[in-house]
Amino acid sequence: MVNRTGAFVLTFLSLYLTQELGHSAWFAGLVVALHGLGGVAGSPLGGMLTDRWGRRPTMVTMHLAAAACAAALAVVTSAWAIATVVLLMGVAMQAVRPSINATIADMVPAHDVRRAYALNYWALNLGFAIASIGGGAAAFLGYRTLFVVDAVATVLCAVIVFLRLPETRPEAAVDKRGEPVAEEKVSMLTVLRDAPFRTLVLLNLLVCIVFTAPWIGLPLTMADQGLPPSSFGMVIAVNGIVIVGFQLLVNKLTDKRSPALLLTLSALLFAFGTGATALAGSSVAFAATVVVWTVGEMIHVPTNAAATARLAPEHARGRYQGVMGMSWAVAGFIAPIAAGAIVDGPGPDVLWTATAALGVLAAVGYYIRLRKALAEEGTAETEIRRPVKSDDAGSDADVPDADVSRVDVPDAAGQAPVNA
C-alpha cells in the first residue's frame, strides 16, 4: 500500500508527455506500451532471482531500481531517454511481483493463501486510489515533483522490506535422518512443460486481454457516443471504489470455494460485463458494466495467484509466479494496441463482442481443463513447518509453508505426473 500510494508515474505519464513535453498521443501510447514490454522480460527475471537469490533481496533491489527510474523521469527530456527509462521501469516493477507473491505463499497456511492474496490486492487498490486522488490534487506542483514523490515512496517501501520483512525462502528439504533431499532443478522451460500450469497461464492471458481492453476501448466507445471525457473519469473510478469498498466482502463470500469454479465464474463476469458495453448508451449504463467486470476482477486476481502457488513446487515458486506475471505483461502490451485498432477499424461493437467471446472461452477452459487438477491439489492442505533462512530483519522462527505436501497430478494429456 505504501508503494502504490506514491505510484504517480503511470497515472500521469501520458499527460506529462503530451501536455508538458508536447509529444503526440501516439508517442505517449507507445511509451506506455514499452512499460508493458519491459514487464514481459521483468517477470521471468524476477521469478528466477526470487528462487536463486531470495525474496527479500529481490524486492529491495527491484524497488530501488524502480525508484531510480522514477527519479530519472524527473530530469530526462529527450524522447529516446524517456522511452528507455520507462522500458527499464517496466522491467523493475514487474520483476518485484514474483517475490511478493512467493513470500505470501511462504508465510501463509495453504487454506488462507487465496484470502491473503485478496487482502494484498485490496491494499494495492487502496493505495492506488489514494495516489490518484492525491496526485490529481498535487498536480499543480508539476509532474516532475510527482515523479520524485513516486521515487521517495518506492525507496520507503524498499526500506520497510529491508528492516521489517525476513527472508522466507525455504531451506532445502531434509529426510528423516536429517540428510538434504535433492530437489529437481526447475528452469523456465520446466515450468512451461507443466501442463496444468501451462493451461492456467494461457487461460489467464485470455482473461487479462479481456480485462485490459476496457481501459483503452471504454473511453473511445464513450467518446464515440458523444459523452465528454469527464464522464469516463467518473465511470472508471467505479472500478477502484468497488474494489476498495467490497473486496473484503467478496473474500468472505468466496472463501473455501472451488478454485476452478471461482475462475470460471470470474471469466463469465468479465465476458458479460465487457460484452454488455456494446449495449450501454449512458454513463450510468457504462458504470454498471464496470461493476460487473470489477466483481470478476476481485474474484479472479487472488484466486489465480493462489492457484499458481498451489501448482508450484515450493523451491520454484518464484519462477512459477514469474511466468504467470509474464502473461499479465503480455496482455498489457498487446491488448491496448489491439483494442485501439479494432475501435478505429471494425468499430467498438466488434471489440466488445470479441472480449465477450474470449471470456466465455476462458470460462469453458477453466471448467473443463482445470477442474480436476485444482480440485485434487486443493485436498493437500497439510501444513508443515520448515526452518527458513533468517537474517537481521527477523528471527529464526519457523514460517508455515503453504503447500509443502506435494501431489502427483496427471497432466491433461495423461503424460507423466508433474509436481503440483
Side-chain angles (χ1 to χ4, degrees):
M1 188 175 70
V2 170
N3 191 12
R4 285 297 181 94
T5 298
F8 298 118
V9 170
L10 287 182
T11 306
F12 296 95
L13 182 59
S14 59
L15 293 176
Y16 170 66
L17 293 173
T18 55
Q19 296 182 2
E20 182 85 4
L21 300 183
H23 292 291
S24 65
W26 176 87
F27 178 75
L30 176 63
V31 170
V32 173
L34 286 175
H35 186 277
L37 185 62
V40 175
S43 192
L45 172 64
M48 180 187 67
L49 293 176
T50 295
D51 289 335
R52 289 188 176 181
W53 194 14
R55 280 69 158 140
R56 183 166 168 256
T58 301
M59 272 189 266
V60 171
T61 301
M62 292 305 167
H63 274 128
L64 293 177
C69 291
L73 282 177
V75 296
V76 299
T77 56
S78 72
W80 282 106
I82 291 172
T84 302
V85 169
V86 171
L87 178 68
L88 294 175
M89 176 177 279
V91 173
M93 290 181 65
Q94 192 67 32
V96 77
R97 293 178 182 177
S99 58
I100 295 173
N101 287 338
T103 299
I104 292 174
D106 293 337
M107 298 181 72
V108 180
H111 60 274
D112 280 334
V113 167
R114 196 198 64 81
R115 190 153 56 98
Y117 283 124
L119 289 170
N120 182 64
Y121 192 64
W122 173 78
L124 293 178
N125 280 276
L126 179 60
F128 182 76
I130 296 172
S132 299
I133 297 172
F140 67 92
L141 297 175
Y143 294 108
R144 289 182 173 86
T145 302
L146 295 182
F147 297 160
V148 172
V149 173
D150 189 321
V152 172
T154 308
V155 170
L156 177 59
C157 186
V159 171
I160 293 174
V161 170
F162 182 77
L163 295 178
R164 303 294 302 171
L165 189 66
E167 175 59 62
T168 64
R169 182 177 54 155
E171 292 182 343
V174 295
D175 58 22
K176 294 180 179 179
R177 297 173 297 177
E179 298 292 331
V181 177
E183 293 181 319
E184 180 185 359
K185 292 184 178 180
V186 179
S187 65
M188 287 298 173
L189 185 59
T190 307
V191 175
L192 294 175
R193 286 174 177 169
D194 185 332
F197 179 68
R198 185 173 65 240
T199 301
L200 185 69
V201 171
L202 293 175
L203 293 175
N204 184 69
L205 176 61
L206 295 181
V207 172
C208 290
I209 291 174
V210 175
F211 168 64
T212 306
W215 298 91
I216 302 299
L218 186 56
L220 298 177
T221 301
M222 295 178 67
D224 187 61
Q225 296 197 13
L227 296 173
S230 58
S231 297
F232 170 71
M234 292 185 292
V235 167
I236 205 61
V238 172
N239 174 259
I241 293 171
V242 171
I243 292 175
V244 173
F246 297 99
Q247 179 73 67
L248 301 183
L249 175 61
V250 171
N251 293 355
K252 185 174 295 186
L253 294 175
T254 57
D255 196 27
K256 312 301 182 186
R257 306 294 182 183
S258 164
L261 290 179
L262 288 177
L263 291 171
T264 301
L265 175 60
S266 67
L268 290 175
L269 288 170
F270 274 117
F272 180 74
T274 58
T277 306
L279 305 176
S282 66
S283 295
V284 174
F286 283 117
T289 66
V290 172
V291 170
V292 174
W293 59 256
T294 297
V295 176
E297 176 188 353
M298 290 190 291
I299 296 172
H300 177 84
V301 173
T303 305
N304 183 73
T308 301
R310 283 181 172 183
L311 293 175
E314 66 172 11
H315 65 290
R317 282 179 180 148
R319 288 179 173 86
Y320 272 67
Q321 293 288 354
V323 172
M324 180 57 71
M326 189 166 59
S327 67
W328 286 90
V330 170
F333 177 70
I334 66 175
I337 298 174
I342 293 174
V343 171
D344 285 342
D349 289 351
V350 175
L351 172 65
W352 304 122
T353 302
T355 57
L358 288 178
V360 171
L361 179 62
V364 173
Y366 283 126
Y367 188 77
I368 294 178
R369 303 283 298 188
L370 291 176
R371 182 163 48 112
K372 183 178 179 182
L374 293 180
E376 289 184 359
E377 180 63 25
T379 62
E381 293 184 356
T382 303
E383 293 176 23
I384 299 176
R385 292 179 180 268
R386 281 185 180 175
V388 298
K389 295 179 181 178
S390 61
D391 48 44
D392 295 337
S395 66
D396 291 330
D398 289 340
V399 175
D401 182 83
D403 56 358
V404 168
S405 296
R406 297 195 190 158
V407 178
D408 285 336
V409 180
D411 65 22
Q415 298 171 357
V418 296
N419 283 332

